[in-house]
Amino acid sequence: MALPKRRHSNTRTNKRRTHDALRVPAVGECSNCHATVRPHNACPKCGYYKGQKVDHTVKDRDEKSKSR
Ligand SMILES: [Zn+2]
């Protein structure tokens, strides 16, 4: 079986590992229902973005109670 001729230097190992760290994903809070939302995305729970309803496929609790 093939074997490496030389071991990698500490610097080479550390350079490879510069990209290994896990990062906490960026999250924000919905201004309408206070659910956790990714930045620049409409809220998955209520469909609101920047205080306006943009995703009309998502049912809204407030709208339901008003219409009935
Ligand atoms: Zn929301």
Side-chain angles (χ1 to χ4, degrees):
M1 205 173 97
L3 287 170
K5 193 169 187 178
R6 301 240 190 278
R7 76 183 202 122
H8 287 173
S9 67
N10 291 335
T11 300
R12 185 169 166 164
T13 301
N14 291 339
K15 274 180 175 175
R16 185 184 67 238
R17 290 179 181 169
T18 55
H19 306 287
D20 286 1
L22 290 173
R23 283 191 295 172
V24 179
V27 286
E29 188 189 318
C30 176
S31 58
N32 187 51
C33 70
H34 303 287
T36 307
V37 192
R38 297 215 66 190
H40 313 288
N41 283 272
C43 174
K45 294 275 162 60
C46 66
Y48 270 69
Y49 185 73
K50 286 193 172 179
Q52 281 188 317
K53 180 124 182 155
V54 292
D55 187 352
H56 292 275
T57 60
V58 182
K59 286 271 189 307
D60 192 358
R61 262 180 287 146
D62 296 341
E63 276 185 354
K64 252 191 220 168
S65 59
K66 269 179 216 164
S67 59
R68 281 172 200 173

